[in-house]
Amino acid sequence: MSSTNYTSLSYSLPFHFNEPSLTFSWIGFTLLAILLSYGAFVILKPDPYAHIPAVGGSGIISAYHTAKRFYNHSNELIVAGYDNYKDRIYRIPSKDRWQVIVSRPDQIEELRKAPDDVLSFKDFVDQTLFIKYLMGRTIVANEYHIGVVRSQLTKNLSVLFDDLREEIQSAFDDIIPQTDDWVSIHAYSKIAEIVARASNRIFVGVPICREPEYLKVNIDFTMSISKSRNRLIRTPAFLRPLVARYLTTVSESITIAAKYLGPIIQERQAKIDEHGQDYPEKPVDLLSWLMEDASNEQRTVTQLTNRILSLNFAAIHTSSMTFTHTLYHLAAEPHYLQPMREEIESVIAQEGWTKIAMTKMHKLDSFLKESLRYNGISFVSLNRIALKDFTFSDGTFIPKGTFISAAAQSIHHDEEKYPDSEKFDGFRFANIRTQDGYNTTNQFVNTSPDYIPFGHGKHACPGRFFAANELKAMMAYLVLNYDIKMKNEGVRPKNLSIAMSCPPDITASVMFRRRQL
Ligand code: HEM
Ligand SMILES: *[C@@H]1O[C@H](CO)[C@@H](O)[C@H](O)[C@H]1NC(C)=O
Ligand SMILES: *[C@@H]1O[C@H](CO)[C@@H](O)[C@H](O)[C@H]1NC(C)=O
Ligand SMILES: *[C@@H]1O[C@H](CO)[C@@H](O)[C@H](O)[C@H]1NC(C)=O
Ligand SMILES: *[C@@H]1O[C@H](CO)[C@@H](O)[C@H](O)[C@H]1NC(C)=O
């Protein structure tokens, strides 16, 4: 078996569901044949997880029935484990494996502190998305772009804030025009366009951040990866490198994005060759920093385009889902508008539109933080694969190959941590902060074992400082310039539940009009 196949089939469940949206191809048949021959083998092997309590029971028949609920009810399985085995590590069956779940704060600390060669985030991403087949090995092997986001991008946020604000304003004005009559706006697609445009202003600058085809390819890239991944998952491992090249759409996306990025990369490289790294009028954007830090082999148009696409992959839908979840709360409960307007207007009067101003909008910060607590965008966080056997300090043994995650949603809805946790309380965190002198403990970007929508520890989202500034500037602009409501007044569109993710309703619309004073 290839070294990349950590979910050794002997740890898997002896069945495999066909995802509803997928066609059953010849590759599926091949895989099925292989799985069936392993099936008998699995039943005879001792269960390596026998010591870990299982939601829905550990027998093959009961696990099969429980796992069927995974597609659309994974959180119910996690919550059942959280309630039944409180404080113990437990497992839930998903379509093709057991998924180990931890929730106790000290165990989350152990999860985050475990070395990368024992509990690996990188391998989790690669195993679930097949990045190395779809985008090449270097994107996984060499992660210099993470340092660029964590360091240069985050440090330059105050310098870049004006550009960000300008792009947000022009994107809103183009995409959601201010009208005197109420108009119904399809929320998710419009928000994703605004987020993509604002983010790419900072990633690659004007005019590329306004090119419709470039934006579309970045917005659709997530779909392209996940469709391609679904094809690869039914391909035998040894055929994947070959099939990835012919059966997937990822390389087409790279070609389209490179059409826009190629010329500016070459132009910038020519200036670097002539004048050195600090050439006159060098643009202040993420592409410049990538080009500074890239090794020679990483400085090609294809490799740099790959990086930009990967960063858009990490940025666009995470931020758009977070904003849309928040927007639905605000539109369902527009009484939150007035207090936020007062706060935003008074802060802007003192500070102007600056990064400092964003840190002083405590109600706005709280509203976003509460929405990520209440909805999250995923039921789990701190996803890892065990590359070696690992033992938690309570003695729970985790065999090599295991998928482990933290029960984000259950933690965020724990009454002991968040009183009245089933209530959406937009100013929950702002109210706490009035007591503690507005220190940073309860601000949006802060993580702790009790607040993990951005993860926690060394892999905690490095883009969250950028995301927080972008989302706050977007929300502040929206709150000051529009009235919003739901067509069915007071009714918030229901969250979706797709495997481990919890997206907002991507089909719903929100009513917008120009703010009436
Ligand atoms: C509200 C929006 C966002 C949310 C909720 C979010 C959430 C997350 C989470 C949960 C992780 C994994 C942490 C872990 O498992 O410990 C992560 C990692 C990451 N995020 Fe974000 N993210 C957001 C926005 C962004 C943006 C805007 C960028 C880029 C500018 C970004 C770049 C990354 C990168 C590069 C990683 C990988 C870190 C690593 O491998 O160490 N994210 N994010
Ligand atoms: C912006 O990032 C660069 C790194 O390329 C750094 O040298 C510079 O100090 C940063 N600017 C600010 C204002 O921090
Ligand atoms: C999603 O929204 C529903 C109500 O629309 C709410 O009850 C629930 O707590 C939210 N979060 C999750 C994770 O489902
Ligand atoms: C900040 O506030 C938290 C409570 O929100 C408190 O536990 C912590 O001690 C405070 N830290 C400082 C430095 O005041
Ligand atoms: C159920 O899951 C499927 C994909 O597995 C998804 O397409 C569908 O939207 C989900 N339904 C809900 C209500 O979340």
Side-chain angles (χ1 to χ4, degrees), residues 75 374-375 379 409 413 422 492-495 502:
N75 199 39
Y374 193 79
N375 311 291
F379 300 121
Q409 208 53 239
H413 284 259
E422 287 312 307
R492 184 180 187 275
K494 284 213 162 46
N495 296 335
C502 178

Side-chain angles (χ1 to χ4, degrees), residues 123-144:
D123 285 86
F124 171 82
V125 174
D126 188 41
Q127 279 275 299
T128 38
L129 299 173
F130 291 126
I131 300 292
K132 94 165 137 285
Y133 298 125
L134 296 173
M135 300 183 75
R137 216 160 269 277
T138 52
I139 214 98
V140 197
N142 180 343
E143 296 189 304
Y144 77 94

Side-chain angles (χ1 to χ4, degrees), residues 20 71-72 496-498:
Y71 279 128
N72 287 112
L496 298 178
S497 173
I498 304 172

Side-chain angles (χ1 to χ4, degrees), residues 22 39 64 67 88 110 296 387 423 451 460 508:
L22 290 169
Y64 175 83
R88 281 185 69 189
E110 286 182 58
N296 275 339
L387 299 185
K423 181 178 185 306
Y451 192 80

Side-chain angles (χ1 to χ4, degrees), residues 6 19 30 37 164 183 245 274 344 370 374 416 462-463:
Y6 303 114
E19 290 184 28
T30 316
S37 59
L164 183 62
V183 277
R245 209 168 305 157
E274 193 179 344
I344 295 165
E370 173 72 348
Y374 193 79
E416 283 169 28

Side-chain angles (χ1 to χ4, degrees), residues 162-178 185 187 189-202 206 209-211 215 219 323 470 473-474 477-478 481-482 512:
D162 238 16
D163 288 354
L164 183 62
R165 185 206 51 78
E166 184 186 273
E167 200 60 41
I168 285 171
Q169 175 171 350
S170 80
F172 265 103
D173 294 352
D174 289 348
I175 295 166
I176 311 183
Q178 293 175 27
I185 302 280
S189 62
K190 298 298 174 190
I191 296 305
E193 279 180 52
I194 295 171
V195 166
R197 191 162 142 181
S199 307
N200 280 280
R201 172 72 180 256
I202 304 305
V206 188
C209 73
R210 296 180 188 162
E211 292 287 354
L215 292 175
I219 292 171
F323 192 87
E470 180 181 66
M474 281 173 61
Y477 186 77
L478 186 151
N481 293 285
Y482 299 86
F512 280 79

Side-chain angles (χ1 to χ4, degrees), residues 250-260 305:
V250 171
S251 55
E252 284 161 41
S253 307
I254 295 170
T255 309
I256 295 172
K259 198 169 79 186
Y260 294 92
T305 303

